[in-house]
Amino acid sequence: FAQWHYPFENKEIFERRFPADFISEAVDQTRGWFYSLIAISTLLFHKAPYKNVIVLGHVQDKEGRKMSKSKGNAVDPMDALKKHGADAIRWYFYENSAPWLPNRFHDDAVQEGQRKFMGTLWNTYAFFVLYANIDKFDATQHTLDYEKLSVMDKWCLSRLNTMVKEVDSDLSHYRVTEAAKALETFVDELSNWYVRRCRSRFWTKGMEQDKVNAYMTLYTALVTTAKAAAPMIPFMTESIYQNLVRSIDKDAPESVHLCDFPQANEAYIDAALEKNMGEVLEIVVLGRAARNAQGRVLLYADKITPAMRAAMDETARRRQIQDDYNQAHGIVPKTIVKSIRDLIEISASPTPERKGKNGVKMTRQELAREIEKLESQMRKAAHMMEYEYAAVLRDEIIRLRAEAEKK
């Protein structure tokens, strides 16, 4: 009330804004600012001056000790900002623990959160940009037709809208950490499940409907996630928004921070589909854990538990379903890539003979090892904005994959 010089003036403004929706300070203000405000407000207006309080725990060092200049364990905020960036530090405090608990602030903790969420989000965005530039994909020229989407697309949109619903609800109730966890979980699934399972759709030649669906689904997920995460990582989301939205739609809001917060589309939420896909994800996680436990070596039959066998059988069944889908839609799975040196030979001969050791025809294993080299060159060309050259590489890769499938 003092900032408005109430009750001597600005009575309407004060009454419209009082009490405040929330206030926030460190826990040591419980008997200070928090108490002073509520005591004065109760005496003058017979009610609390705020509706919600977010109490912040103290920031500690890596060993859990209170930071102090005399102890030499204090962190200069400006040095931390220069080293990690504002977004990474903001994200650490949002995601690490509940706001009212102490936070152990150190470089490793900040970098871990930066890698798990921000790095994953940026890599997924970079994947989209890479292939969208190669194909000259413009999202404003296409629409998202839900009825034509694949199961993976529908699952992605369902998880996206579930995430938006959760984040909106959590932020509305000041559950900051829960909102951050929901964002982190979705971005992990988007990158490590949707993109991994759908990469071959972006590699196909031309612009068939299935490829358009994949582009539009990933585009929608990235833009919506940027809007939902904007309050937490304002700079990264602004960069993503400017490149994905403003670069192709000048009528869009100037900034992601001028956009409305996304609203969940209930029609896209399929709880049964999310549950079923969640079971598949659990099987994959179990399979990876079993593989890692065995040091990435083949398991002997007498060491395979019933749970492992069930996971392996389910994985094989779903792989067969994916293979049938690929064959029906003319999608060639990832198998081979070659190096830049081969492109010189390719340009001289439209159908070069692939040779392995001793000049004999390459085995499937040799082709599998070679594939990573050419794919790496294609990514490098795209990152260097040599998109036409990257497109030539991709077309050659597709042809070589088709040859490898005949082996």
Side-chain angles (χ1 to χ4, degrees), residues 127 131 135 148-154 156 194-218 322 325-326 329-334 394 398 401:
F127 172 88
Y131 289 102
D135 288 319
K148 295 181 180 179
L149 300 182
S150 68
V151 172
M152 284 298 295
D153 296 336
K154 290 181 179 180
C156 182
Y194 179 78
V195 172
R196 283 179 182 269
R197 296 303 304 160
C198 295
R199 282 182 296 187
S200 58
R201 298 166 68 187
F202 295 90
W203 293 338
T204 57
K205 193 173 183 179
M207 192 59 70
E208 301 297 328
Q209 185 62 47
D210 183 67
K211 189 175 184 179
V212 172
N213 292 344
Y215 268 122
M216 287 302 297
T217 300
L218 185 54
Q322 182 67 36
Y325 176 87
N326 289 344
H329 291 79
I331 297 175
V332 181
K334 176 184 179 183
R394 183 196 58 185
I398 292 171
R401 284 178 186 148

Side-chain angles (χ1 to χ4, degrees), residues 2-135:
Q3 71 181 28
W4 297 111
H5 201 216
Y6 180 86
F8 304 102
E9 57 182 322
N10 300 316
K11 181 178 179 181
E12 291 184 1
I13 296 177
F14 170 76
E15 292 178 349
R16 188 167 65 248
R17 300 189 179 189
F18 184 86
D21 286 332
F22 83 97
I23 63 171
S24 178
E25 253 297 350
V27 66
D28 55 349
Q29 291 298 323
T30 301
R31 291 181 296 174
W33 192 47
F34 296 153
Y35 175 78
S36 299
L37 286 177
I38 200 167
I40 295 173
S41 181
T42 301
L43 287 172
L44 295 178
F45 308 106
H46 305 289
K47 62 180 180 180
Y50 40 78
K51 300 175 184 177
N52 299 277
V53 178
I54 297 182
V55 181
L56 303 178
H58 287 142
V59 179
Q60 302 173 339
D61 68 7
K62 188 174 183 178
E63 306 302 325
R65 299 172 301 182
K66 183 178 180 181
M67 288 190 179
S68 169
K69 289 183 178 179
S70 60
K71 293 180 180 179
N73 63 346
V75 175
D76 187 319
M78 300 311 297
D79 290 343
L81 286 170
K82 290 178 181 178
K83 184 172 185 178
H84 302 292
D87 280 354
I89 294 176
R90 289 168 64 98
W91 181 255
Y92 166 74
F93 283 111
Y94 288 132
E95 186 270 341
N96 184 54
S97 64
W100 53 86
L101 297 177
N103 279 285
R104 297 188 178 189
F105 185 88
H106 53 95
D107 291 343
D108 293 342
V110 176
Q111 290 167 359
E112 176 67 11
Q114 189 177 29
R115 179 187 63 81
K116 287 177 63 178
F117 174 69
M118 295 174 60
T120 303
L121 175 59
W122 189 262
N123 287 339
T124 307
Y125 157 71
F127 172 88
F128 175 87
V129 171
L130 189 156
Y131 289 102
N133 282 327
I134 291 174
D135 288 319

Side-chain angles (χ1 to χ4, degrees), residues 243 254 331 369:
N243 194 31
E254 282 187 59
I331 297 175
R369 287 192 295 269

